[in-house]
Amino acid sequence: MPRPIQATIHTAALRHNLGAARQAAPDAQAWAVIKANAYGHGIERVFEGLRAADGFALLDLSEAERVRALGWRGPILLLEGAFEARDLELCSRLHLWHTVHCDEQIDMLALHKTHEPHRVFLKMNSGMNRLGFAPQRYRSAWTRLNALPQVDEISLITHFSDADGDKGIAEQVALFEEATRDLPGERSLSNSAATLRHAQEASVKADWIRPGIALYGSSPDFPAHSAADWDLQPAMSLHANIIALQQLQVGDSVGYGSSFVADRPMRIGVVACGYADGYPRICPTGTPVLVDGVRSRTLGRVSMDMLAVDLSDLPEAGMGSRVTLWGRAANGAVLSIDEVAQAAGTVGYELMCALSQRVPVVNED
């Protein structure tokens, strides 16, 4: 039989989470952000759950081709735009919208031969300092683009650096509004955190929101708010079975490095999941798990293929018991991926994207 580990993608949860984002900004259209292979969930696996979006936003041309192959005829936005001139040929062929964030991309467009002008999103660097034109250069970039016959409609876009924290978005919104005053074109400002936390500041002033992590059931500002606080449901569950049992006596250790030592008699379960499956090796003793839907904890160091969980207070658990590493258990109990990520000193995004190819994945509604 196959190794007893499996990830499940919950189609109904994706639909629900997209609805939650729309509810926060009811007057805006919604991009479903599916970069990084839909945050590790798989583009083909999330498509049905997110097809009610107004468009899909991603990075890679190959991912755009996959979305078109699924039958999507609506807008697709390349969030980082073209990386080289020949990318624009595929943008023309696939009818992709694309971001323009630097002079070199404008130069590419000026030399591009196309029968249909392109829809572009001109990006402002309003404080993130990754991509985009500085506010004082934004209007001249818009003027250059607007003069090109290769360009049709120009939309205006920026990205917030602190929508999930105390600094907020007011300063960046003010810069954006000042630099774009009187410029025509649709606006797109808000990522998941801005959509959920700052709808009245930004989303209502924009035409497009860009929910990403929220679609997959992770809170964009954990631990200030949990996924449940935002009415988000886990879109991915990772389950594995217990494949061995051990009885510990006082002084017995668990795993490599003997990082956990029993201070009382204990019963532990060995689970068919390790860091080669995408579970963080750095997760310490005490990282939460659900065993048959009941909360417990990991013990000792995570191995490549296995980890240990505490069964001392779970007498009904044993060989074959199902362990939820994150997501929803069969009894409906939920372990947020954010909790596991916090124990590992990271964020839910990384855990989703790190799911190993060797883990079987199935869909359910």
Side-chain angles (χ1 to χ4, degrees):
M1 67 175 284
R3 184 165 168 261
I5 183 171
Q6 180 177 281
T8 301
I9 306 303
H10 305 288
T11 302
L14 290 162
R15 292 193 196 100
H16 173 89
N17 296 338
L18 176 60
R22 285 192 183 281
Q23 188 172 5
D27 297 324
Q29 297 186 86
W31 294 108
V33 180
I34 56 170
K35 62 181 180 176
N37 196 26
Y39 289 52
H41 293 64
I43 287 174
E44 288 77 10
R45 297 188 186 102
V46 305
F47 179 71
E48 185 61 36
L50 297 178
R51 69 184 307 158
D54 300 290
F56 289 96
L58 40 74
L59 300 187
D60 297 337
L61 286 166
S62 61
E63 293 185 336
E65 289 180 303
R66 287 161 62 188
V67 176
R68 288 289 186 232
L70 289 167
W72 179 254
R73 295 294 173 258
I76 298 176
L77 173 64
L78 294 177
L79 288 166
E80 294 180 1
F83 297 108
E84 56 184 9
R86 63 180 181 180
D87 292 347
L88 294 174
E89 298 173 11
L90 197 54
C91 288
S92 293
R93 194 182 330 142
L94 296 177
H95 304 287
L96 306 181
W97 302 359
H98 53 97
T99 296
V100 172
H101 61 77
C102 61
D103 290 310
E104 289 78 6
Q105 289 177 326
I106 300 179
D107 295 339
M108 290 181 206
L109 272 166
L111 297 174
H112 178 54
K113 295 177 181 177
T114 180
H115 296 295
E116 296 183 18
H118 288 217
R119 171 79 175 267
V120 300
F121 278 63
L122 181 61
K123 186 155 193 175
M124 180 187 296
N125 173 15
S126 60
M128 187 76 172
N129 287 312
R130 294 192 311 192
L131 304 179
F133 292 90
Q136 61 270 26
R137 294 198 56 233
Y138 193 77
R139 194 169 289 264
S140 63
W142 184 93
T143 301
R144 277 195 71 198
L145 275 177
N146 192 51
L148 295 180
Q150 294 90 340
V151 173
D152 182 13
E153 187 173 346
I154 303 173
S155 298
L156 317 177
I157 187 171
T158 194
H159 189 64
F160 296 124
S161 59
D162 293 274
D164 59 345
D166 294 336
K167 183 178 179 181
I169 66 173
E171 181 178 333
Q172 287 184 260
V173 169
L175 283 171
F176 183 84
E177 288 185 337
E178 178 61 28
T180 62
R181 193 178 308 279
D182 300 327
L183 286 182
E186 294 185 340
R187 269 85 166 146
S188 178
L189 289 84
S190 295
N191 57 4
S192 290
T195 298
L196 296 176
R197 288 171 58 104
H198 304 285
Q200 298 308 311
E201 297 174 61
S203 296
V204 294
K205 301 174 184 176
D207 302 283
W208 291 86
I209 56 172
R210 303 190 305 275
I213 193 66
L215 298 178
Y216 306 101
S218 176
S219 171
D221 63 346
F222 185 84
H225 295 90
S226 69
D229 291 334
W230 294 124
D231 188 28
L232 302 175
Q233 300 175 2
M236 177 197 292
S237 296
L238 179 61
H239 303 289
N241 288 4
I242 291 175
I243 59 172
L245 301 170
Q246 298 291 341
Q247 296 287 338
L248 303 185
Q249 302 304 315
V250 175
D252 286 346
S253 63
V254 176
Y256 288 117
S258 300
S259 63
F260 175 81
V261 178
D263 60 1
R264 60 188 173 94
M266 300 180 69
R267 192 169 71 105
I268 69 171
V270 179
V271 183
C273 179
Y275 60 79
D277 301 298
Y279 193 86
R281 179 182 180 275
I282 200 171
C283 279
T285 290
T287 300
V289 295
L290 302 176
V291 180
D292 291 333
V294 180
R295 196 174 180 95
S296 186
R297 59 174 181 151
T298 64
L299 299 173
R301 191 175 294 173
V302 176
S303 299
M304 180 182 287
D305 309 304
M306 290 170 278
L307 57 84
V309 296
D310 189 356
L311 303 181
S312 300
D313 298 323
L314 302 174
E316 301 300 319
M319 286 287 290
S321 284
R322 196 181 202 201
V323 177
T324 303
L325 288 312
W326 61 70
R328 187 180 302 278
N331 67 353
V334 171
L335 173 60
S336 170
I337 197 170
D338 299 320
E339 281 195 74
V340 182
Q342 184 182 46
T346 185
V347 290
Y349 303 71
E350 185 174 0
L351 270 61
M352 293 175 186
C353 293
L355 185 72
S356 170
Q357 289 187 352
R358 79 175 187 176
V359 177
V361 184
V362 299
N363 272 79
E364 70 174 28
D365 203 21

